């Protein structure tokens, strides 16, 4: 059914994910591929409104169950309206965060049972599974510092919580999220490629392009130009 190729980017705040998504989008365009860039939460009218509820400081104290359901609601709209149709047309789709974020943050981070998370992830996306996922692995403390420096200050609910985080089983929230990403990466080593994101952004991008060229040439018979 699927003619296109879905690439998702995962990692902590401040891992450079969003900049890399934008640069990668440009590389695909310059190389002559049809490409569509989107992000989560967001990407649709309803998704952008949900994004405000999820990320703005006014929502301090939002329950974990409501948070999980809102991320899933935003994602299902993005899949239905943007991602699935683009893939059906044969486009490359780059999504800045996808359901692995929910597994890592709401599952491992918040402690919601993983069976519920998996059920809802599947319910939201159905068969729209990423072909390749890059996990940009940055030291969470470094990432948080970068993110606090660059964020405009409105969408700060998660950052506030990370700064005031409490330990569960001896681990801070972001340490649990990181453990979660490592677990997911171990379970699906073919799909998920971990990239050392403590380095210069050009080096990170080169690694990503190299991996994609190996994978894409099979289906698309053409290659990405260097960044
Ligand atoms: P965003 O401003 O998009 O941050 P980033 O640049 O780090 O991607 O904020 C998204 C926040 O929402 C981020 O803290 C991670 C969190 N998140 C979840 O907890 N679960 C999810 O399913 C998604 C998509 C994001």
């Amino acid at each position: 059914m699927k003619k296109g190729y879905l690439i998702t980017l995962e990692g902590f705040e401040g891992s450079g994910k969003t900049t890399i998504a934008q640069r990668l989008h440009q590389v695909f365009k310059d190389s002559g591929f049809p490409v569509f860039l989107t992000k989560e939460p967001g990407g649709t009218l309803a998704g952008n409104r949900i994004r405000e509820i999820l990320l703005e400081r006014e929502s301090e104290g939002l329950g974990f169950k409501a948070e999980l359901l809102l991320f899933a609601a935003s994602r299902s709209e993005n899949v239905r309206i943007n991602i699935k149709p683009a893939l059906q047309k044969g486009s490359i789709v780059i999504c800045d965060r996808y359901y692995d974020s929910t597994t890592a943050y709401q599952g491992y981070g918040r402690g919601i049972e993983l069976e519920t998370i998996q059920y809802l992830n599947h319910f939201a996306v159905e068969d729209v599974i990423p072909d390749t996922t890059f996990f940009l692995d940055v030291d969470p403390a470094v990432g948080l510092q970068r993110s606090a420096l660059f964020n405009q200050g409105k969408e700060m609910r998660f950052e506030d919580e990370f700064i005031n985080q409490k330990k569960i089983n001896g681990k801070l929230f972001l340490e649990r999220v990181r453990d979660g990403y490592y677990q997911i990466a171990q379970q699906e080593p073919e799909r998920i490629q971990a990239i050392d994101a403590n380095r210069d952004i050009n080096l990170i991008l080169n690694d990503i392009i190299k991996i994609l060229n190996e994978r894409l040439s099979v289906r698309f018979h053409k290659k990405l130009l260097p960044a």
Side-chain angles (χ1 to χ4, degrees):
M1 179 283 291
K2 198 166 73 179
K3 290 195 290 181
Y5 196 94
L6 177 57
I7 299 163
T8 60
L9 295 168
E10 293 286 351
F12 306 114
E13 8 291 301
S15 60
K17 224 169 14 59
T18 304
T19 312
I20 288 173
Q22 286 161 355
R23 294 265 313 263
L24 192 60
H25 181 230
Q26 192 59 46
V27 170
F28 270 108
K29 280 209 280 191
D30 293 345
S31 310
F33 286 85
V35 59
F36 177 77
L37 173 64
T38 185
K39 71 170 177 183
E40 295 204 345
T44 64
L45 269 179
N48 287 329
R49 296 176 73 179
I50 294 171
R51 181 181 175 90
E52 289 175 16
I53 300 173
L54 280 165
L55 303 188
E56 291 190 359
R57 280 190 160 128
E58 283 83 350
S59 306
E60 189 193 341
L62 183 71
F64 294 171
K65 289 185 181 178
E67 180 184 280
L68 167 65
L69 293 167
L70 287 169
F71 277 117
S74 168
R75 181 164 309 126
S76 79
E77 281 295 89
N78 205 10
V79 167
R80 181 178 73 84
I81 294 170
N82 295 319
I83 300 177
K84 197 164 186 173
L87 291 173
Q88 280 169 339
K89 275 193 248 155
S91 187
I92 306 283
V93 177
I94 303 169
C95 195
D96 181 354
R97 292 194 183 280
Y98 201 52
Y99 60 69
D100 295 315
S101 284
T102 304
T103 310
Y105 284 77
Q106 278 64 54
Y108 288 87
R110 300 296 200 200
I112 299 177
E113 63 280 7
L114 294 176
E115 273 166 41
T116 306
I117 302 277
Q118 272 152 13
Y119 175 79
L120 281 172
N121 283 349
H122 180 254
F123 183 66
V125 309
E126 296 175 358
D127 60 346
V128 184
I129 311 288
D131 293 284
T132 298
T133 297
F134 293 102
F135 165 45
L136 302 175
D137 187 14
V138 71
D139 180 345
V142 174
L144 206 53
Q145 226 170 10
R146 282 193 206 156
S147 163
L149 285 177
F150 291 111
N151 213 308
Q152 350 53 339
K154 215 168 161 231
E155 294 186 342
M156 291 293 277
R157 186 174 71 90
F158 275 85
E159 279 83 354
D160 287 352
E161 289 195 15
F162 299 152
I163 291 160
N164 305 317
Q165 54 188 307
K166 288 191 206 81
K167 287 193 176 182
I168 298 181
N169 297 331
K171 291 202 169 168
L172 293 169
F173 182 84
L174 274 184
E175 292 168 340
R176 300 194 299 277
V177 172
R178 187 186 217 186
D179 284 354
Y181 274 126
Y182 287 152
Q183 293 281 341
I184 304 165
Q186 249 178 12
Q187 283 155 13
E188 291 183 73
E190 184 52 29
R191 173 172 72 86
I192 302 175
Q193 301 288 308
I195 304 276
D196 174 3
N198 296 296
R199 300 171 300 154
D200 179 83
I201 201 147
N202 291 306
L203 295 177
I204 301 173
L205 201 58
N206 282 345
D207 283 0
I208 290 178
I209 290 173
K210 197 167 157 229
I211 293 169
L212 286 175
N213 270 334
E214 283 160 14
R215 297 183 166 210
L216 288 169
S217 55
V218 182
R219 201 180 304 175
F220 290 88
H221 311 292
K222 66 177 166 184
K223 287 201 158 198
L224 288 169
L225 301 169

